[in-house]
Amino acid sequence: MILNTQIIKSVIEVNVPLKEVFVSVFHYDLMKFFKRLPCSPVFTYSAFKIESFRPGFEHTIYFLNGNGARRRLVSFLPEISFLVSIDNFKTGSYIGLCEIEYQYYFSQSKSRQGITVVCCEYRFMFRYRITEILFCIFYRRSIQNHLDAFLAEISVASQKDFFSESKI
């Protein structure tokens, strides 16, 4: 099956060491990104825990209408990257949407000491070309703006966590 894919990326620099940023971002509730999208239905889920740092861990996201989707940790490379997949949508709200993947990459800035670069990439995969076109027309730009703001929020949270812990 050939999937039609739309990729949305964002990058931010954080003035926190790489190890602390990685842990902070991984523990941050990344599902908030979807909860705040205007096109996203209400859902509940369980956040990843420390014992879940192994690829293959999965759980079900439940939508208000009783349907669900599978959320799975696909890869986890400490202090480098992690990849999460959401698929098996069992709701009519996402007809044509096959899968969403989000991957976060972490690296140290080559030009500035103590700066961590966080890159994220969200891939929306559609079964039908028409669904991809409608996504581009109605949602792509607002999701890009939302992702940039979300990454800035994550940056502020990781800096706050780092500086509050380092004072203790």
Side-chain angles (χ1 to χ4, degrees):
M1 171 189 301
I2 297 175
L3 295 178
N4 301 290
T5 303
Q6 284 294 310
I7 299 172
I8 300 176
K9 298 179 181 183
S10 192
V11 178
I12 197 160
E13 292 183 344
V14 184
N15 187 17
V16 176
L18 187 139
K19 183 176 184 171
E20 284 79 9
V21 172
F22 182 88
V23 170
S24 178
V25 171
F26 189 78
H27 286 292
Y28 193 80
D29 184 3
L30 297 172
M31 293 298 288
K32 280 184 188 178
F33 173 77
F34 298 102
K35 281 195 169 212
R36 294 183 185 158
L37 288 177
C39 56
S40 182
V42 177
F43 61 87
T44 62
Y45 60 94
S46 300
F48 288 133
K49 296 183 172 68
I50 258 181
E51 60 271 9
S52 307
F53 278 21
R54 65 188 184 289
F57 173 79
E58 63 183 52
H59 64 270
T60 302
I61 298 169
Y62 294 99
F63 297 98
L64 191 60
N65 64 6
N67 292 320
R70 176 178 64 174
R71 181 175 177 221
R72 182 171 41 104
L73 182 60
V74 177
S75 70
F76 180 83
L77 301 169
E79 299 176 33
I80 298 172
S81 75
F82 61 88
L83 170 66
V84 175
S85 169
I86 303 172
D87 61 5
N88 292 343
F89 291 97
K90 308 267 192 288
T91 180
S93 301
Y94 293 117
I95 293 174
L97 180 62
C98 184
E99 183 175 356
I100 301 170
E101 289 183 344
Y102 55 92
Q103 186 159 16
Y104 281 74
Y105 304 93
F106 302 82
S107 62
Q108 293 185 341
S109 174
K110 292 180 177 29
S111 60
R112 299 190 314 168
Q113 181 92 13
I115 301 294
T116 301
V117 179
V118 180
C119 304
C120 66
E121 184 174 294
Y122 283 72
R123 289 181 289 282
F124 296 83
M125 292 167 261
F126 303 93
R127 286 186 182 89
Y128 313 112
R129 178 79 175 134
I130 188 69
T131 311
E132 178 188 14
I133 292 168
L134 292 171
F135 174 85
C136 290
I137 292 170
F138 295 108
Y139 299 113
R140 183 170 175 60
R141 182 175 295 144
S142 70
I143 290 175
Q144 178 67 62
N145 294 338
H146 184 73
L147 180 57
D148 293 341
F150 184 68
L151 203 57
E153 177 185 313
I154 290 172
S155 169
V156 168
S158 63
Q159 289 177 2
K160 188 176 176 182
D161 289 347
F162 175 72
F163 290 116
S164 66
E165 288 176 10
S166 63
K167 290 180 182 177
I168 296 175

